[in-house]
Amino acid sequence: MSPGSIGILGFGTHVPYWRLRGDTVAAALGKRGGRGSRAVAGSDEDTTTMAAEAARHAVRSAGGAERIDALWLATADPVYADKANATAVHAALGLPGRVHAADLAGSVRSGVAALLAGLHYPGATLVALSDRRNGPSGSPDEAGGGDAAAALVVGQASPDGPVPLLAEFLGCGSATAEFLDRWRRPGQPWPDSWEERFGERVYTSLAEESLDRALKASGLTAGDISRVAVTGPSARAVRSAGTRLARLGVPDGAFADDLTSRVGNTGTAHPGLLLASMLERAEPGDVLALAVLADGADTVVFRVTGAIAERTRVPSVEDGIARGRDSLSYADFLTWRGLIRRQQPRRPDPDRAVAPASARSETWKFGFAGSRCAECGTRHLPPQRVCLECGSRDRMTAEPLADTGGTIATYTVDHLAFSLAPPIVAAAVDLDGGGRFSCELTDLDPAELDVGTRVEMTFRLISTAGGIRNYFWKARPAREGTPS
Amino acid sequence: MTSHGIKDQVAIVGMGCTRFGERWESSASDLLVDAASDAFASAGIERDTVDAYWLGTLNSGFSGMLLSTALKIDYRPVTRVENFCASGSEAFRNACYAVASGAYDIVMAVGVEKLKDSGYSGLTRANPPSDGTGTTLTAPARFSMLSPAYSAKYGVAREDFKRAMTRVAWKNHYNGARNERAQFRAEVPEEKIASAPPVAGDLGVFDCSGVADGAAAAVIVRAEDAHRYTDRPLYVKALSFTAGPGTGTYDPRYDYTTFAETVRAAGDAYAQAGITDPARDLSMAEVHDCFTPTELVIMEDLGLSERGAAWRDSLDNRFALDGELPVNPDGGLKSFGHPIGASGLRMLYECWLQLRDEAPSGRRIAPRGKRYGLTHNLGGGPGECVAFVSVVGAERG
């Protein structure tokens, strides 16, 4: 590895808890069969919250937020237009104001674009890729799509510092073309597609061109590749491109599981998910190639370093897959996507979160920072000005608590409250090291709850009202692979 | 904290209470006119005799004009009071102080709520604009958090605690079936209560008080003037109110088995009234049974049950109409529903009837103790609420 080389400093992923099985969809539509399962964002998740979860892991994996200079959020399913979504992720991570945050949004190609741009941006860039894929009822795009997020911290290793490169960036190759394979106008729920055989032919040639350029840029041959992953919105094109790459000399055993049978094709997020998955299985010295077929082809090549073995462990792709629950009904899936409207309890709509109050409480609402009394050490969530214990005024220091675990003191299941995914489950959570957070719980089966259950924090959507997304933190049962 | 109280300085000389329920035919103004007119008649006075008014309502109207426009009050003071579920009791408390201070000779406390017109289930209220980080839970969900915490703390099986909750609902419906003003006037078998559709946690539909419209009113004068209006006034022995710091939802020391607000309000009230053993001195208690576990916890907070024993006392029928200490002999919030501003004064109305031997024979309680009645409200939720306790008695001294 040469001095000043760039590459991957950390990575993290978020695979949602819910799975929709292919046979569940088929049965609901009166058909037989249906294979695999896809990851489905909870009713309290969107591309912004998923990106924030993945980015939290990535930042921890890269040794903390201090070195981050920019944050780019790439998604084909942005929550807001005109307003940046990356700023909510920035706030959820508690990043300092000096860190530039912006969206690359609209096309699936924005995912690999963010990665390439990050690799070429001075300083360390947090690249968050997030997507939520839809298709018409019964279509391969619906059952074979997926929802997930992946985040990478890319840039230069600190000269003598504590953050080594996990994988060195060797080169990339692009091949861009204008043709119609999948397209969607803003506001439409899912893309239209042209006959797959057309895109297949175009993509296969583009894949070859981009690999060729990437190998030249890296000074390698196809036979040097230890692991390769190919992804793109068209499954047929991905298969054919794989065959072409093999014919060009990429070793047979190098083709990585593309995860589509277990999480679906997560679109913009998928390149990041596959890169993370390859890194999690890699040995030092491995050459990893990633080919993304989205309105052209882009191939990036990395060499894994010795630091991969000593990296900070965060929940892996396999951890995320393993914690999935595949009992989601097709009706609930459609409800959460807003594709069918169900009867709600006779309760008022949620209030919208207002702009000035949300801005005032940014470090709490987004950053989950409580306050600790400098006089007596008592912790408060939400932050207070007056200490509940000693009554001191304005003697508080902010304390970020998103990575602090907790224990359920008492809880309830609310069948009456408004929710797209009733019932709402809530608890008083006593945090490790002091303080109590009363909050909603998510990603769980209420039957698994009891006083004493261990939980972790997660950034979620509480409600949407007046077109405003109300983001805040919830707790969910703690799982393997999370800090205790 | 100093709290002198105004024991025996003021007295209630007339009361009115509407029928509670789905009063589709009546507006909030209509209910106020009905309750106030009954109270005027009960005290044998005309509207213009009253010097000043206190009106309790959560959100059925704003300002004293909700009452002044309904009754056509001619430019007299009407103070509108809001303190969550204690709003009616707060109107009463402040009206009493106004008389005790000497500022007025005769005043009225009146409370009203018109809930059914909203079209929603349960209680709703308009919240100030916020950052959206506050609780999204409904009231039954918040109060249902008492149940697992209580069971865990005292080692009570969840099923046993649920049986005690069921008995609370059964008892209050039994009493309400004997009250013509109640919203629900039928006894409900325990099997039906226990198997009702879930609302939140261990709470089924019958563990929750209903949603109703209603109003109630009281006429208050100086104690020495009371016999000008009635032979049997009801003397105010104690009035207390607490607003909690609301730290329970973020202080791990709060264990969801008590309402410190009620404990403190009761301690103050007992001191004012000279009560040393409430279970012995009281004849009855009207308490805030918004949800069945709430009533169980209240029994302990008011000192009517030992800690950890209310569930057993409930199953032993200690608080039944013919039990050792009747609690909610009128049927409680369970039978009346909870028109917020009216409930506190509705409780007081039952004391007015029972302690003055005017309760119908079907639910008349046996005389005991000092012939004191207690009323209690709490508003908010576990760990963050307000509480009110009053003690009234049929005799002065």
Side-chain angles (χ1 to χ4, degrees):
Chain A
M1 190 164 59
S2 54
S5 54
I6 59 170
I8 296 168
L9 298 161
F11 59 94
T13 54
H14 175 74
V15 178
Y17 173 71
W18 294 99
R19 302 282 174 279
L20 179 65
R21 295 168 58 101
D23 55 10
T24 301
V25 178
L29 297 173
K31 294 179 179 168
R32 290 188 188 176
R35 284 192 311 259
S37 61
R38 59 161 291 168
V40 177
S43 63
D44 59 355
E45 293 186 288
D46 59 24
T47 52
T48 299
T49 65
M50 291 193 294
E53 287 294 292
R56 285 173 64 201
H57 297 318
V59 167
R60 205 163 78 241
S61 155
E66 291 71 30
R67 285 206 60 226
I68 309 289
D69 296 298
L71 158 61
W72 292 334
L73 169 61
T75 180
D77 182 32
V79 172
Y80 292 116
D82 282 10
K83 184 206 174 311
N85 298 288
T87 48
V89 177
H90 178 279
L93 296 175
L95 295 176
R98 66 170 176 78
V99 176
H100 174 77
D103 297 356
L104 285 77
S107 65
V108 170
R109 201 171 202 204
S110 63
V112 70
L115 175 62
L116 291 175
L119 286 164
H120 292 95
Y121 190 78
T125 304
L126 171 59
V127 178
L129 319 182
S130 187
D131 212 347
R132 217 175 55 124
R133 305 301 300 166
N134 284 342
S137 273
S139 68
D141 277 0
E142 180 191 56
D147 308 335
L152 299 121
V153 179
V154 297
Q156 277 192 340
S158 40
D160 36 272
V163 187
L165 284 187
L166 303 177
E168 184 184 5
F169 173 62
L170 301 180
C172 62
S174 290
T176 299
E178 164 59 22
F179 60 102
L180 283 175
D181 172 60
R182 270 170 179 70
W183 65 96
R184 174 170 61 90
R185 282 168 297 121
Q188 298 301 111
W190 48 68
D192 287 316
S193 59
W194 203 264
E195 183 189 0
E196 299 253 356
R197 294 171 61 82
F198 166 67
E200 176 188 12
R201 187 184 59 81
V202 180
Y203 274 128
T204 307
S205 322
L206 292 168
E208 179 174 343
E209 281 179 49
S210 85
L211 177 73
D212 193 45
R213 287 176 190 139
L215 289 173
K216 280 200 178 74
S218 314
L220 298 172
T221 67
D224 295 328
I225 294 173
S226 325
R227 216 80 164 108
V228 64
V230 185
T231 181
S234 166
R236 190 182 184 98
V238 166
R239 273 197 305 274
S240 291
T243 307
R244 177 71 62 92
L245 265 46
R247 206 178 301 153
L248 293 169
V250 175
D252 270 352
F255 287 87
D257 170 13
D258 76 352
L259 306 174
T260 51
S261 67
R262 296 185 293 157
V263 298
N265 184 332
T266 63
T268 314
H270 219 66
L273 214 56
L274 291 178
L275 199 46
S277 178
M278 287 195 289
L279 285 164
E280 282 159 0
R281 296 154 191 271
E283 301 289 333
D286 280 357
V287 172
L288 308 182
L290 172 71
V292 184
L293 313 181
D295 304 310
D298 297 282
T299 303
V300 282
V301 183
F302 296 93
R303 180 180 282 117
V304 177
T305 73
I308 195 77
E310 285 92 45
R311 71 185 192 278
T312 304
R313 300 285 162 167
V314 295
S316 68
V317 174
E318 291 301 327
D319 290 335
I321 292 173
R323 73 189 280 173
R325 177 156 160 223
D326 68 359
S327 60
L328 183 64
S329 73
Y330 189 55
D332 281 342
F333 169 76
L334 293 177
T335 304
W336 296 357
R337 311 301 256 207
L339 297 173
I340 58 174
R341 291 183 65 179
R342 304 261 280 273
Q343 170 90 46
Q344 287 287 339
R346 291 194 186 281
R347 296 288 297 167
D349 289 340
D351 294 330
R352 67 178 187 170
V354 303
S358 300
R360 280 196 297 274
S361 77
E362 183 193 320
T363 57
W364 166 241
K365 179 181 173 64
F366 293 93
F368 202 63
S371 69
R372 193 182 275 278
C373 176
E375 298 300 326
C376 74
T378 301
R379 193 189 261 170
H380 305 76
L381 302 90
Q384 303 288 317
R385 288 185 63 191
V386 179
C387 177
L388 75 88
E389 177 63 30
C390 70
S392 298
R393 260 175 305 178
D394 295 329
R395 297 286 296 135
M396 298 285 175
T397 52
E399 193 174 19
L401 294 165
D403 291 329
T404 303
T407 305
I408 288 180
T410 187
Y411 67 96
T412 187
V413 179
D414 192 340
H415 299 274
L416 184 59
F418 178 95
S419 172
L420 275 182
I424 284 183
V425 184
V429 173
D430 289 345
L431 292 186
D432 302 343
R436 168 175 289 175
F437 179 44
S438 293
C439 62
E440 282 186 38
L441 301 181
T442 189
D443 293 356
L444 82 165
D445 175 357
E448 70 184 284
L449 271 189
D450 207 346
V451 171
T453 300
R454 295 283 302 163
V455 297
E456 63 191 17
M457 301 307 147
T458 179
F459 183 68
R460 295 299 166 114
L461 179 65
I462 300 294
S463 58
T464 304
I468 295 174
R469 296 262 161 163
N470 180 21
Y471 294 115
F472 190 46
W473 293 78
K474 295 185 179 182
R476 63 175 180 171
R479 314 270 188 196
E480 297 295 317
T482 56
S484 60
Chain B
M1 176 190 145
T2 307
S3 173
H4 297 296
I6 56 166
K7 185 181 180 185
D8 288 333
Q9 292 181 38
V10 304
I12 302 164
V13 295
M15 285 200 75
C17 182
T18 68
R19 184 171 56 79
F20 280 33
E22 294 181 338
R23 298 291 304 268
W24 304 117
E25 77 291 356
S26 299
S27 66
S29 294
D30 292 331
L31 294 167
L32 283 170
V33 170
D34 291 344
S37 301
D38 287 354
F40 293 140
S42 167
I45 59 170
E46 297 296 326
R47 176 195 65 189
D48 293 345
T49 314
V50 175
D51 299 320
Y53 298 82
W54 274 258
L55 164 68
T57 186
L58 183 76
N59 55 10
S60 293
F62 295 103
S63 90
M65 287 183 65
L66 175 63
L67 182 68
S68 65
T69 56
L71 292 181
K72 309 298 179 295
I73 293 168
D74 56 345
Y75 310 100
R76 299 184 192 203
V78 183
T79 305
R80 185 255 179 158
V81 173
E82 184 280 304
N83 230 329
F84 279 169
C85 301
S87 295
S89 291
E90 272 292 80
F92 173 63
R93 188 173 72 102
N94 286 282
C96 289
Y97 291 157
V99 172
S101 76
Y104 302 107
D105 293 333
I106 181 165
V107 304
M108 174 176 277
V110 55
V112 66
E113 214 70 52
K114 179 72 194 163
L115 296 177
K116 289 302 299 184
D117 279 3
S118 80
Y120 294 122
S121 303
L123 296 179
T124 60
R125 68 169 202 244
N127 292 307
S130 83
D131 67 1
T133 62
T135 182
T136 53
L137 292 182
T138 58
R142 293 165 78 192
F143 282 92
S144 73
M145 291 169 86
L146 297 170
S147 164
Y150 187 103
S151 295
K153 178 171 180 178
Y154 296 113
V156 181
R158 292 282 283 271
E159 303 73 48
D160 288 337
F161 194 74
K162 174 71 179 177
R163 284 199 301 127
M165 290 161 53
T166 300
R167 187 63 58 86
V168 169
W170 173 85
K171 165 183 74 84
N172 291 349
H173 278 300
Y174 177 92
N175 298 349
R178 286 151 180 77
N179 194 330
E180 63 182 10
R181 286 179 171 79
Q183 177 179 24
F184 303 114
R185 298 210 49 213
E187 295 179 30
V188 186
E190 286 190 287
E191 310 78 66
K192 186 174 176 184
I193 295 168
S195 62
V199 174
D202 291 341
L203 304 185
V205 168
F206 280 103
D207 292 298
C208 308
S209 59
V211 177
D213 308 321
V219 177
I220 299 138
V221 300
R222 280 187 294 274
E224 58 265 35
D225 298 338
H227 281 275
R228 284 197 223 161
Y229 301 95
T230 175
D231 294 338
R232 287 181 295 173
L234 201 58
Y235 296 96
V236 174
K237 305 292 180 181
L239 296 166
S240 70
F241 185 85
T242 55
T247 54
T249 59
Y250 59 92
D251 183 349
R253 290 170 300 187
Y254 178 61
D255 69 5
Y256 283 84
T257 66
T258 180
F259 297 90
E261 294 84 352
T262 295
V263 174
R264 298 289 282 267
D268 182 18
Y270 295 157
Q272 291 177 30
I275 290 173
T276 50
D277 180 352
R280 182 196 66 205
D281 293 346
L282 295 175
S283 303
M284 58 170 286
E286 283 284 323
V287 307
H288 203 86
D289 59 323
C290 51
F291 304 99
T292 52
T294 323
E295 180 168 319
L296 294 172
V297 169
I298 291 166
M299 292 301 97
E300 297 180 12
D301 287 341
L302 291 177
L304 305 179
S305 281
E306 297 293 321
R307 286 286 166 200
W311 70 279
R312 171 58 64 194
D313 289 344
S314 169
L315 289 171
D316 290 345
N317 295 323
R318 214 180 132 214
F319 306 116
L321 204 52
D322 59 354
E324 186 186 328
L325 176 64
V327 171
N328 291 333
D330 69 351
L333 300 167
K334 272 301 301 148
S335 300
F336 271 82
H338 184 24
I340 317 291
S343 287
L345 286 154
R346 182 268 301 162
M347 295 172 170
L348 200 61
Y349 186 73
E350 183 66 2
C351 296
W352 171 257
L353 295 180
Q354 293 282 6
L355 300 177
R356 296 167 60 259
D357 302 321
E358 287 186 357
S361 57
R363 68 168 202 281
R364 189 172 302 166
I365 62 172
R368 71 183 291 277
K370 294 185 174 178
R371 299 191 69 203
Y372 280 180
L374 175 147
T375 73
H376 160 266
N377 298 109
L378 59 82
E384 44 177 358
C385 66
V386 299
F388 170 88
V389 174
S390 82
V391 180
V392 292
E395 288 151 22
R396 204 174 175 189

